[in-house]
Amino acid sequence: MVAGLRVFELAGSKTPGELALILEHSTLITGDLVRSHVGGKLNLLPADKLTDAAAARGSLARLVREQPRLDCVLVGDGWPLFTDGLAQLRALSEP
């Protein structure tokens, strides 16, 4: 256990068992599922690379429900997001 660190498993991505890390209740670090190819806006891995789009969105919805606050999102591919992380993730979790 590491103080200030939470780990979430994300389903539906191209990699089974993909993890997202939350630091100090405010910063999310993601792998392939969540990305940002346009500054200030998050997007999902392209649909043709998802193994299960509904499961991917469901994982993000669970993360949003369980996390009261997220400001920053540091993505594995693209630009970091420094504000409104929770709102952006909520929008991604909707069909």
Side-chain angles (χ1 to χ4, degrees):
M1 182 169 168
V2 176
L5 178 70
R6 289 189 69 194
V7 179
F8 282 87
E9 183 177 1
L10 300 175
S13 188
K14 67 180 183 177
T15 306
E18 181 174 331
L19 301 176
L21 307 175
I22 298 175
L23 296 173
E24 301 297 333
H25 306 288
S26 65
T27 302
L28 176 69
I29 302 170
T30 68
D32 287 328
L33 182 60
V34 178
R35 13 184 87 210
S36 177
H37 292 187
V38 175
K41 182 164 174 40
L42 297 176
N43 57 288
L44 287 178
L45 186 69
D48 64 329
K49 296 195 177 189
L50 292 173
T51 58
D52 185 336
R57 290 185 193 285
S59 290
L60 292 178
R62 179 180 55 87
L63 190 149
V64 166
R65 276 192 313 274
E66 294 180 16
Q67 191 60 34
R69 162 182 163 228
L70 275 176
D71 301 318
C72 302
V73 180
L74 306 177
V75 297
D77 189 356
W79 297 93
L81 182 72
F82 295 112
T83 60
D84 299 324
L86 196 61
Q88 290 267 343
L89 289 166
R90 186 174 291 116
L92 282 183
S93 71
E94 297 170 354

